[in-house]
Amino acid sequence: MPRIAYFGPSGTFTEMALAQLEQSGAFDGPVERVPAPSQGSTLELVREGVVEGAVVPIESSVEGGISPTMDALATGSRLQIVAETELDVAFTILARPGIDLADVRSIAGYPVATAQVRKWLEKHLPHAEIRVAASNAAAAEDVAAGKADAAVSTALAGERLGLAVLASGVADHDQAVTRFVLVTRPQEVPPRTGSDRTSLVILELSNEPGALMRVFAEFATRGIDLTRIESRPSRTGLGTYVFYLDCVGHIRDRAVAEALKALHRTAGRILFLGSWPTATPTGTPPPSDEAATAWLHDLEKGVADL
Amino acid sequence: MPRIAYFGPSGTFTEMALAQLEQSGAFDGPVERVPAPSQGSTLELVREGVVEGAVVPIESSVEGGISPTMDALATGSRLQIVAETELDVAFTILARPGIDLADVRSIAGYPVATAQVRKWLEKHLPHAEIRVAASNAAAAEDVAAGKADAAVSTALAGERLGLAVLASGVADHDQAVTRFVLVTRPQEVPPRTGSDRTSLVILELSNEPGALMRVFAEFATRGIDLTRIESRPSRTGLGTYVFYLDCVGHIRDRAVAEALKALHRTAGRILFLGSWPTATPTGTPPPSDEAATAWLHDLEKGVADL
Amino acid sequence: MPRIAYFGPSGTFTEMALAQLEQSGAFDGPVERVPAPSQGSTLELVREGVVEGAVVPIESSVEGGISPTMDALATGSRLQIVAETELDVAFTILARPGIDLADVRSIAGYPVATAQVRKWLEKHLPHAEIRVAASNAAAAEDVAAGKADAAVSTALAGERLGLAVLASGVADHDQAVTRFVLVTRPQEVPPRTGSDRTSLVILELSNEPGALMRVFAEFATRGIDLTRIESRPSRTGLGTYVFYLDCVGHIRDRAVAEALKALHRTAGRILFLGSWPTATPTGTPPPSDEAATAWLHDLEKGVADL
Amino acid sequence: MPRIAYFGPSGTFTEMALAQLEQSGAFDGPVERVPAPSQGSTLELVREGVVEGAVVPIESSVEGGISPTMDALATGSRLQIVAETELDVAFTILARPGIDLADVRSIAGYPVATAQVRKWLEKHLPHAEIRVAASNAAAAEDVAAGKADAAVSTALAGERLGLAVLASGVADHDQAVTRFVLVTRPQEVPPRTGSDRTSLVILELSNEPGALMRVFAEFATRGIDLTRIESRPSRTGLGTYVFYLDCVGHIRDRAVAEALKALHRTAGRILFLGSWPTATPTGTPPPSDEAATAWLHDLEKGVADL
């Protein structure tokens, strides 16, 4: 039974994402779930060979790239993304059984979570004191331990701790979606499906004027759709960046392959994070190469009129 | 006496940045400092006219753009940045007088701060329990209130609360620098100094292939040095972004003016955040326009041989 | 009475173009017409101050740029184009009075001209011997001197020499148009009319990879329509070129001015040939700068919400 | 014995180029030389199957692209260039035996030729009358027929007609070189040698803003060196062009293949004229693809650390 680490403790959205991956058949059978206390330590378990894979959140439609995950992927030996799944992120307000909304004087929450339900809290619990918890699951544990009356948490955490649901589907932004990825040590890239995502990191941009513009030109001239462009400081001073780029397509799509090779030659230091099937169709696939390749072969052979 | 809001409470790095701006003569005389509980609420006081200006952190050399500040600048009526200052971010470990490092069993810290001193804590306090605080200043208050033995905090907070300094200049990354900006309602842009920064936000990118590449081309073809490129999701679904761009130069530098106008015409929806003097020289100033303009005027007048 | 040189002798299309410019009011009154034996010598008369202006053919819709004119403009002290006119180029077949088509055994023609009526000759004079003449006007002179039975020439030449017209409007290509320009020593550029052409020569391209692509980018990023792009070898070896570029717009159009300045700064050695009103509307005018400039001024002044 | 057409008559530089190709082993043995009266008719003999190949001049270092050759290649069924050779173009001044330079009162010349020796004529024969001849070889024939005292011609023409050489190596421009190509019907492209030239024609550029800039970007982003860029009007009105592009490299160089495919997909209507070995090394070969391809295959296979 493969061991799969996840950003825990038990009851986090990440565990729910792992469960969703299991149901979708990402693994051949059941897996052993191994919680880890941070995105970085989750991925480190993969690098150390303690687990065969790890599930971490990578991008939120509200907050953007999940920085600790991005940083952990970009640092250390190369890891590879092989699958993804998406969760609608809506919170569940939990309390001990018997407690009503009107009774709530204090509410525990992970800061990222309370930020996403601020308007709901202002409307329904304007006078409750907000207490900082270490994670969504920890907020529920705080309620179970009597440290707060209620928690901004997940349904899964409520079930595990036997808490009551005061409200569910709570989110200030509709359609708040978080994408989670399954990460392994480098392995053969999953087959091209026609609806794929490729991800790479420009660890170090070549130090020439217009270098970044040329990176984008490598994609634009080949008709490749960039679906994610994020920068993070490279931690060597203000003003230098690491760029995280996702594009539509697979390393076995000719256009993507040629763009990757061009970046390898000229852009600086490039980290390939993988090509894998998308959870939902995104963007425009790269242009087919077939007609142009057939034309080229005819030219090489001297077929007459073209 | 002008009222200047800052991201508080008293004792934060932001208050130290405000003090530094006062000393550098950014205001005509003393100011009344008005703490606010978040970056967003700090800026909202400016929009509402409660204060004349506000100081907020905008970029960290370690963590990149400060998301709540960026989001608050990009949302709501236009605000303008008129000055900046930079702080070396190193933490001070505080405790009640009489407590030694060896006595510390629990330490309070704002999560962003404990993340930046993780290695130090592993080395010097490997067994201390880490407790979540709401801000750097709040961590010190927790110590004063007896909720923790020590705090990851600031020197200023220690002075205010009469705490002892167990260690100072604590930071895992050398040269961790944070930039803070002074924000006002729109006003006349400060004069060009020759060492200026201009900041803008692309709120909405025109929906054409290669649109982002063309944005970068507007700067590259004019020889303008982009010193900051960050993207944040536009909160309308995965895959659409708001871009934060800083460049070297001033809106009254011809090259910068022309790039801004070109973006206004073609790039989509642009928010200008201001031009102001840099705290430290950064990047390469835009090319001088003088020789080329003189050449152009000679051509218009028919000066003979060019 | 100003002296205006033209590519002669009397009776050439160029003299017809000069007449057309006179009728259109390009000069304040009548001019003295000074024929010169080549495009180069015509322009040299302007450089030497012997004449105030010169009319030369510059571009044919069939043959492209007229090389001797282009070379003569690009070499020597700077000259300036101040006006243009266009002629439909159709030839007149001339003979001595009393001669019919059926009698014609030999026909004189300037090689450029006979090339443009080859199909007509094959149909109407398949057995006539073609004799080389030094110009369109010289072909008519050859007929007058009895050296050939007929001439491929112009109506004007026929009138001057009292020859009969065997056929007129003769041209293998419909809509063969030639553009002629009036050239002076450098002078104040004619006022912008809104339908203008600007012409320049890149005498020497800066020796960097992608330099030519960047030249085109200076126009493309500013929305300037290039209507003519011709290259001629720079005569310093195979593979180096001089580029002749025409664009829609006037040096006093902001976009054109900025593009010229950018090329002056970075492209290499640039020769400005002038901005002048077009004979017929061509291409898309450069984008108006007014809205963007107003926006920019509002930003500089701090007008609130943009 | 293969039949090879050339731009004649006998004695032209083109026949000398054909002889040079024979000596270099471009054919398996001797060939039958078939003169044709123009570049177009020479190539038409190939299209009609009358000859197996044709030699025509294609580019002069002084005059640029040879327009009739370029036009004839771009019109009609596709032809293919399979070899090239270069000649230093210097003229021979011929006269009947016994005639000295001092005796020369008239000199016959093809206009292109007399243009290239104008300065020599002004110095050595300032009073001679210049008579128009139909080709370099025809000028020598005019001398043999007594129509002129001397001729601007070629050494080969002098030998054939038994004329005396008054001067040889005559050329106003040093290093005037003309390139000639061997053209066949489409056939398998000659093998890549590492020092190759590829030629194509953009017959029709896609009608989008910036289309030409994107064409150049396809080469620039792939590090391909363009060695020839010429435009000719497309004969459908002023302002539309056919572009002739030569680059360093072979259709079997990956970078060149990808650029051709990209142009095929997006640039409009493209005519491939061939890849063949250069006569002399020119420009910088396209970047090798090997290292990047090896890197890509390692990524696909999951090789660990890259």
Side-chain angles (χ1 to χ4, degrees):
Chain A
M1 191 157 68
R3 295 164 55 88
I4 305 296
Y6 69 96
F7 174 39
S10 184
T12 55
F13 282 115
T14 308
E15 190 184 8
M16 292 166 68
L18 168 51
Q20 200 163 284
L21 282 165
E22 281 187 84
Q23 285 156 25
S24 72
F27 312 102
D28 285 339
V31 303
E32 181 184 346
R33 299 180 186 177
V34 181
S38 69
Q39 291 95 332
S41 58
T42 307
L43 293 175
E44 216 48 47
L45 293 176
V46 180
R47 285 197 176 95
E48 291 163 0
V50 176
V51 296
E52 279 74 55
V55 179
V56 285
I58 194 160
E59 188 180 11
S60 152
S61 65
V62 176
E63 293 300 318
I66 311 293
S67 306
T69 299
M70 287 155 69
D71 290 349
L73 284 169
T75 315
S77 65
R78 187 165 78 91
L79 293 173
Q80 187 173 341
I81 301 173
V82 297
E84 72 177 35
T85 195
E86 290 173 3
L87 282 185
D88 288 338
V89 171
F91 296 88
T92 302
I93 308 299
L94 301 172
R96 281 185 303 280
I99 298 287
D100 284 343
L101 258 186
D103 305 325
V104 173
R105 296 286 172 276
S106 62
I107 184 158
Y110 184 52
V112 170
T114 47
Q116 293 185 42
V117 301
R118 190 169 52 89
K119 289 179 187 167
W120 188 93
L121 292 175
E122 282 172 5
K123 186 172 174 194
H124 296 94
L125 291 171
H127 305 299
E129 180 196 348
I130 296 171
R131 293 186 182 159
V132 175
S135 73
N136 289 322
E141 287 167 359
D142 286 353
V143 170
K147 294 183 182 171
D149 296 338
V152 180
S153 187
T154 69
L156 184 58
E159 285 166 31
R160 290 188 186 266
L161 296 168
L163 298 178
V165 172
L166 294 186
S168 64
V170 175
D172 290 351
H173 294 275
D174 281 352
Q175 306 179 304
V177 176
T178 296
R179 178 180 304 135
F180 299 80
V181 287
L182 175 60
V183 178
T184 66
R185 272 172 290 172
Q187 57 167 279
E188 171 122 26
V189 172
R192 179 181 175 280
T193 67
S195 175
D196 307 284
R197 189 187 314 280
T198 291
S199 186
L200 58 93
V201 187
I202 302 178
L203 294 172
E204 206 180 304
L205 194 62
S206 69
N207 188 17
E208 289 166 34
L212 188 64
M213 190 188 83
R214 279 206 301 283
V215 166
F216 289 107
E218 299 291 357
F219 293 94
T221 59
R222 292 179 175 88
I224 302 171
D225 196 359
L226 283 169
T227 51
R228 181 166 163 235
I229 302 153
E230 305 231 5
S231 59
R232 299 263 307 145
S234 62
R235 311 207 162 187
T236 60
L238 286 169
T240 62
Y241 296 91
V242 169
F243 292 91
Y244 296 78
L245 304 179
D246 284 3
C247 71
V248 181
H250 192 280
I251 191 175
R252 293 190 191 275
D253 282 310
R254 173 65 63 95
V256 175
E258 294 300 324
L260 287 173
K261 291 198 295 183
L263 294 174
H264 179 69
R265 274 200 306 269
T266 67
R269 213 149 54 83
I270 303 291
L271 179 70
F272 172 73
L273 288 181
S275 293
W276 67 91
T278 56
T280 52
T282 313
T284 310
S288 167
D289 192 55
E290 281 177 41
T293 299
W295 172 77
L296 200 78
H297 287 166
D298 284 351
L299 291 180
E300 289 177 0
K301 292 299 169 205
V303 172
D305 215 19
L306 293 155
Chain B
M1 192 158 69
R3 294 164 54 88
I4 305 296
Y6 68 97
F7 174 40
S10 183
T12 56
F13 281 114
T14 309
E15 192 185 8
M16 291 166 68
L18 169 50
Q20 199 163 285
L21 282 166
E22 281 186 86
Q23 285 155 24
S24 72
F27 313 103
D28 285 337
V31 303
E32 179 184 347
R33 299 180 186 177
V34 181
S38 69
Q39 292 95 332
S41 59
T42 307
L43 294 174
E44 216 48 45
L45 293 176
V46 180
R47 284 197 176 95
E48 290 163 0
V50 176
V51 296
E52 279 73 55
V55 178
V56 286
I58 194 160
E59 189 181 10
S60 152
S61 65
V62 177
E63 293 299 317
I66 311 292
S67 305
T69 300
M70 288 155 70
D71 289 350
L73 284 168
T75 315
S77 66
R78 187 166 78 90
L79 293 173
Q80 187 172 340
I81 301 172
V82 298
E84 73 178 35
T85 195
E86 290 173 4
L87 282 185
D88 289 336
V89 171
F91 295 89
T92 303
I93 309 299
L94 302 172
R96 279 185 305 279
I99 299 287
D100 285 342
L101 258 186
D103 304 326
V104 173
R105 296 285 171 276
S106 63
I107 183 157
Y110 184 51
V112 170
T114 46
Q116 293 186 41
V117 299
R118 191 169 51 88
K119 290 180 189 168
W120 188 94
L121 292 174
E122 282 172 4
K123 184 172 175 193
H124 296 95
L125 291 171
H127 305 300
E129 180 195 350
I130 296 171
R131 293 185 183 161
V132 175
S135 73
N136 290 321
E141 287 167 357
D142 286 354
V143 170
K147 294 183 182 170
D149 296 338
V152 179
S153 187
T154 68
L156 186 58
E159 285 166 31
R160 290 188 185 266
L161 296 167
L163 298 178
V165 173
L166 294 186
S168 64
V170 175
D172 290 350
H173 295 275
D174 281 352
Q175 306 179 305
V177 176
T178 297
R179 179 180 302 132
F180 299 81
V181 287
L182 175 60
V183 178
T184 67
R185 272 171 292 172
Q187 58 167 279
E188 171 121 26
V189 172
R192 179 182 176 282
T193 67
S195 175
D196 307 283
R197 189 186 314 278
T198 291
S199 185
L200 57 92
V201 187
I202 302 178
L203 294 172
E204 207 180 300
L205 193 63
S206 70
N207 188 16
E208 290 167 33
L212 188 64
M213 190 188 83
R214 280 207 300 284
V215 167
F216 289 107
E218 299 291 357
F219 292 94
T221 60
R222 291 177 175 89
I224 302 171
D225 195 0
L226 283 170
T227 50
R228 182 169 163 233
I229 302 152
E230 305 231 5
S231 59
R232 300 264 306 145
S234 63
R235 312 208 160 188
T236 61
L238 287 169
T240 62
Y241 296 91
V242 169
F243 292 92
Y244 296 78
L245 305 179
D246 283 3
C247 70
V248 181
H250 192 279
I251 191 175
R252 292 189 192 276
D253 282 310
R254 174 65 63 94
V256 175
E258 294 300 324
L260 288 173
K261 291 199 294 183
L263 294 175
H264 179 70
R265 273 199 308 269
T266 67
R269 213 149 54 84
I270 303 290
L271 179 69
F272 172 72
L273 288 180
S275 293
W276 66 92
T278 57
T280 51
T282 313
T284 311
S288 166
D289 192 58
E290 280 177 43
T293 300
W295 172 77
L296 200 78
H297 287 165
D298 284 351
L299 290 180
E300 290 177 359
K301 291 299 168 204
V303 171
D305 215 19
L306 293 155
Chain C
M1 190 157 70
R3 293 164 56 87
I4 305 296
Y6 68 96
F7 173 40
S10 184
T12 56
F13 282 114
T14 309
E15 191 184 8
M16 292 166 68
L18 169 50
Q20 199 163 284
L21 283 165
E22 280 187 84
Q23 285 156 25
S24 73
F27 312 102
D28 285 338
V31 303
E32 180 185 347
R33 300 180 185 176
V34 180
S38 70
Q39 291 95 332
S41 58
T42 307
L43 294 175
E44 215 48 44
L45 294 176
V46 179
R47 285 197 175 95
E48 290 163 1
V50 177
V51 296
E52 279 74 57
V55 179
V56 285
I58 193 160
E59 188 181 10
S60 151
S61 65
V62 177
E63 293 299 317
I66 310 292
S67 307
T69 300
M70 288 155 68
D71 290 348
L73 284 168
T75 315
S77 66
R78 187 165 78 91
L79 293 174
Q80 188 173 341
I81 301 172
V82 298
E84 73 178 35
T85 195
E86 289 172 5
L87 283 185
D88 289 338
V89 170
F91 295 89
T92 302
I93 308 300
L94 302 172
R96 279 185 305 281
I99 298 287
D100 284 343
L101 258 185
D103 306 326
V104 173
R105 297 286 171 274
S106 63
I107 183 158
Y110 184 52
V112 170
T114 48
Q116 292 186 41
V117 299
R118 190 169 52 88
K119 290 179 187 167
W120 188 93
L121 292 175
E122 281 171 5
K123 186 172 174 194
H124 296 94
L125 292 171
H127 304 300
E129 181 196 348
I130 296 171
R131 293 187 181 159
V132 175
S135 74
N136 290 321
E141 287 167 358
D142 286 353
V143 170
K147 294 184 182 170
D149 296 337
V152 179
S153 187
T154 69
L156 185 57
E159 285 166 30
R160 291 189 184 265
L161 295 168
L163 298 178
V165 172
L166 294 185
S168 63
V170 174
D172 290 350
H173 293 276
D174 282 350
Q175 307 179 304
V177 176
T178 296
R179 179 180 302 133
F180 299 81
V181 287
L182 175 60
V183 178
T184 66
R185 272 171 290 172
Q187 58 168 279
E188 173 122 27
V189 172
R192 178 182 176 281
T193 66
S195 175
D196 306 284
R197 188 187 315 279
T198 291
S199 185
L200 57 92
V201 187
I202 303 177
L203 293 172
E204 206 179 303
L205 193 63
S206 69
N207 187 16
E208 289 166 34
L212 188 65
M213 189 187 83
R214 280 208 300 284
V215 166
F216 289 107
E218 298 292 356
F219 292 94
T221 60
R222 292 178 175 88
I224 302 171
D225 196 359
L226 282 170
T227 52
R228 182 167 161 233
I229 301 152
E230 305 231 5
S231 58
R232 298 263 308 145
S234 63
R235 311 206 163 190
T236 60
L238 288 169
T240 62
Y241 296 91
V242 169
F243 292 91
Y244 296 78
L245 304 178
D246 284 3
C247 70
V248 181
H250 192 280
I251 191 175
R252 292 189 191 277
D253 281 310
R254 174 63 64 95
V256 175
E258 293 300 326
L260 287 173
K261 290 198 294 183
L263 294 175
H264 179 69
R265 273 200 308 268
T266 67
R269 213 149 54 85
I270 302 291
L271 179 70
F272 172 72
L273 288 181
S275 293
W276 66 91
T278 56
T280 51
T282 312
T284 310
S288 167
D289 192 56
E290 280 177 41
T293 299
W295 172 77
L296 198 79
H297 287 165
D298 284 351
L299 291 179
E300 290 177 0
K301 292 299 167 204
V303 171
D305 216 19
L306 292 156
Chain D
M1 192 159 65
R3 293 164 57 87
I4 305 296
Y6 68 96
F7 173 39
S10 183
T12 56
F13 281 116
T14 309
E15 192 186 8
M16 291 166 68
L18 168 50
Q20 200 163 283
L21 282 166
E22 281 187 85
Q23 285 155 24
S24 73
F27 313 102
D28 286 336
V31 304
E32 180 184 347
R33 299 180 186 176
V34 181
S38 69
Q39 291 94 334
S41 58
T42 307
L43 294 175
E44 215 49 46
L45 293 176
V46 180
R47 284 196 176 97
E48 291 163 359
V50 176
V51 297
E52 279 74 56
V55 179
V56 285
I58 195 159
E59 189 181 10
S60 150
S61 65
V62 177
E63 293 298 317
I66 310 293
S67 306
T69 300
M70 288 155 70
D71 290 349
L73 284 169
T75 315
S77 66
R78 187 166 79 89
L79 292 173
Q80 187 172 340
I81 301 173
V82 297
E84 73 178 34
T85 194
E86 290 172 4
L87 283 185
D88 288 338
V89 170
F91 296 89
T92 302
I93 308 300
L94 302 173
R96 278 185 305 280
I99 299 285
D100 284 343
L101 259 185
D103 305 325
V104 173
R105 295 285 170 275
S106 63
I107 183 158
Y110 184 50
V112 170
T114 47
Q116 293 186 41
V117 300
R118 190 170 50 89
K119 290 180 187 166
W120 188 93
L121 293 175
E122 282 171 4
K123 185 171 173 195
H124 296 94
L125 291 171
H127 304 299
E129 182 195 348
I130 296 172
R131 294 187 181 158
V132 174
S135 74
N136 289 321
E141 287 167 357
D142 286 354
V143 170
K147 293 182 183 172
D149 296 337
V152 179
S153 188
T154 68
L156 185 57
E159 284 165 32
R160 290 187 185 266
L161 296 167
L163 298 178
V165 173
L166 294 186
S168 63
V170 174
D172 290 351
H173 295 276
D174 281 353
Q175 306 179 305
V177 176
T178 296
R179 179 180 303 132
F180 299 81
V181 288
L182 174 60
V183 178
T184 66
R185 272 172 290 172
Q187 57 167 281
E188 171 121 27
V189 172
R192 179 183 176 281
T193 67
S195 175
D196 306 284
R197 188 187 314 279
T198 291
S199 186
L200 56 93
V201 187
I202 303 177
L203 294 172
E204 206 180 302
L205 194 63
S206 70
N207 188 17
E208 288 167 33
L212 188 64
M213 190 188 82
R214 280 208 301 284
V215 166
F216 289 107
E218 299 291 357
F219 292 94
T221 60
R222 292 178 175 89
I224 302 171
D225 195 359
L226 283 169
T227 51
R228 180 167 164 234
I229 302 152
E230 305 231 7
S231 59
R232 300 263 308 145
S234 64
R235 313 210 160 186
T236 61
L238 288 168
T240 62
Y241 296 91
V242 169
F243 291 91
Y244 296 78
L245 305 179
D246 284 2
C247 70
V248 181
H250 191 279
I251 191 175
R252 293 189 192 276
D253 282 310
R254 174 63 64 95
V256 174
E258 294 300 325
L260 287 172
K261 291 198 294 183
L263 294 175
H264 179 69
R265 274 199 307 269
T266 67
R269 213 149 55 84
I270 303 291
L271 179 70
F272 172 72
L273 288 180
S275 293
W276 66 91
T278 56
T280 52
T282 312
T284 310
S288 166
D289 192 56
E290 280 177 42
T293 300
W295 172 77
L296 199 79
H297 287 166
D298 284 351
L299 291 180
E300 290 177 359
K301 292 299 168 205
V303 171
D305 216 19
L306 292 155

